[in-house]
Amino acid sequence: MKKSSIIHHPSSITLNIPTKVGIFDSGAGGLTVVKSLMEHGLFDEIVYYGDTARVPYGTKDPATITRYALEALEFFKNFDIDLLVTACNSVSAHAIPELRANAGFPVYGVIEPGILALENAGLPHSSRILVLGTRATVGSGRYQRGIKELGFENLQALSPSLFVPLVEEGIFEGAILKSTLDYYFKEIPSPDAIILGCTHFPLIADAIRDYFPNRPLLIHSGEAIAQHLERNGCKPGITEETKLTIFASENPDALKQIAKKWL
Ligand code: DGL
């Protein structure tokens, strides 16, 4: 029997509110999603698993990413979770159907919520949209297809691969970051909105936004999935203190140290 809070409403409808979520990422980056879920107070308990031994996923092919994701799913089956969120955009781009077919509990990716967050922002369809993600995410075309279906035609997708190691090094500002931003962005016109389609990019969100003089709207996977879960039955503020347990395929202590810094 799954652990969940049972809320009795006056109308005598009984709702089961999920209280324990599994968060999966290729490494540390998914902690940005953990942070948003904690800020929204959506879950009593978060079980986080980062596949630190095999990060990055964003440079790997779809079959490898799917195999790794299915292995992580087996790990989560030990924890009686109510639902699983794949914080990793690269996994969300390639492995959601396979995860859903094998999970036995709901599985959410972050791409659909990111696209819905753009829709909810209410920008005119003439707006210029920039999608940033790993090679695996951008190569899947998932964001691009979804955004075009919303009616946005003025769209560009980029894989600024050097952002991931910079964030892993804790470089969130300064000259190295500035010249890396220049390297990727100097030729492109200022976007009106940017999809931060990689777990690591929220940590350099300010630098990305400030690079462009018009300070574009940023869509952050963590915020997008938190709002999406709220629309799908999770209740904000069910807890003020979320219990977080962190697992990693290699060096969990290093991941716990990063969590202390980032959260
Ligand atoms: N977590 C990955 C993502 O959001 C970024 C890091 C990686 O390449 O594994 O796509």
Side-chain angles (χ1 to χ4, degrees):
M1 176 85 170
K2 284 233 169 299
K3 214 174 58 159
S4 30
S5 308
I6 297 184
I7 306 243
H8 295 282
H9 286 258
S11 59
S12 83
I13 298 167
T14 302
L15 294 176
N16 286 337
I17 307 237
T19 60
K20 186 171 179 182
V21 63
I23 309 278
F24 170 49
D25 186 49
S26 55
L31 291 167
T32 57
V33 171
V34 168
K35 189 168 185 184
S36 298
L37 297 183
M38 282 179 154
E39 281 167 2
H40 283 245
L42 290 184
F43 300 101
D44 287 329
E45 204 174 336
I46 295 178
V47 177
Y48 184 91
Y49 174 60
D51 192 3
T52 46
R54 302 191 288 201
V55 67
Y57 281 15
T59 51
K60 303 209 164 57
D61 66 52
T64 305
I65 293 171
T66 302
R67 178 162 57 85
Y68 290 173
L70 289 172
E71 286 170 18
L73 179 65
E74 291 311 308
F75 173 82
F76 280 108
K77 285 183 179 169
N78 298 311
F79 292 93
D80 197 25
I81 55 174
D82 296 312
L83 61 108
L84 177 68
V85 171
T86 67
C88 181
N89 281 264
S90 306
V91 171
S92 302
H94 292 289
I96 295 296
E98 289 81 356
L99 287 170
R100 285 186 177 150
N102 290 284
F105 39 75
V107 176
Y108 289 86
V110 288
I111 292 186
E112 195 196 337
I115 294 167
L116 288 173
L118 178 65
E119 183 176 29
N120 293 336
L123 295 175
H125 286 160
S126 57
S127 304
R128 190 177 163 72
I129 313 297
L130 174 64
V131 175
L132 300 178
T134 63
R135 281 210 287 278
T137 299
V138 168
S140 76
R142 292 254 348 253
Y143 274 116
Q144 297 94 309
R145 279 195 296 282
I147 292 168
K148 281 198 173 148
E149 275 165 24
L150 294 180
F152 294 96
E153 285 296 332
N154 197 354
L155 174 67
Q156 183 171 6
L158 270 187
S159 298
S161 309
L162 291 173
F163 288 179
V164 172
L166 283 184
V167 168
E168 300 261 325
E169 276 300 305
I171 298 173
F172 303 150
E173 57 188 3
I176 298 176
L177 179 58
K178 175 74 178 53
S179 59
T180 310
L181 291 166
D182 252 344
Y183 176 76
Y184 289 111
F185 294 155
K186 70 172 180 297
E187 305 287 341
I188 66 168
S190 283
D192 299 300
I194 303 179
I195 305 263
L196 300 176
C198 172
T199 46
H200 288 57
F201 299 170
L203 289 150
I204 50 170
D206 290 344
I208 292 173
R209 188 197 288 109
D210 294 346
Y211 182 87
F212 297 101
N214 61 329
R215 306 192 82 245
L217 171 81
L218 300 185
I219 308 274
H220 172 323
S221 296
E223 270 309 299
I225 183 70
Q227 285 166 16
H228 187 67
L229 291 173
E230 284 175 18
R231 282 193 297 270
N232 283 277
C234 291
K235 296 278 169 269
I238 64 159
T239 183
E240 281 182 8
E241 204 160 319
T242 309
K243 180 181 174 212
L244 171 64
T245 316
I246 292 181
F247 296 92
S249 50
E250 183 180 270
N251 203 348
D253 288 339
L255 189 56
K256 285 176 193 164
Q257 285 310 316
I258 294 175
K260 265 195 201 149
K261 256 197 279 169
W262 289 5
L263 295 179

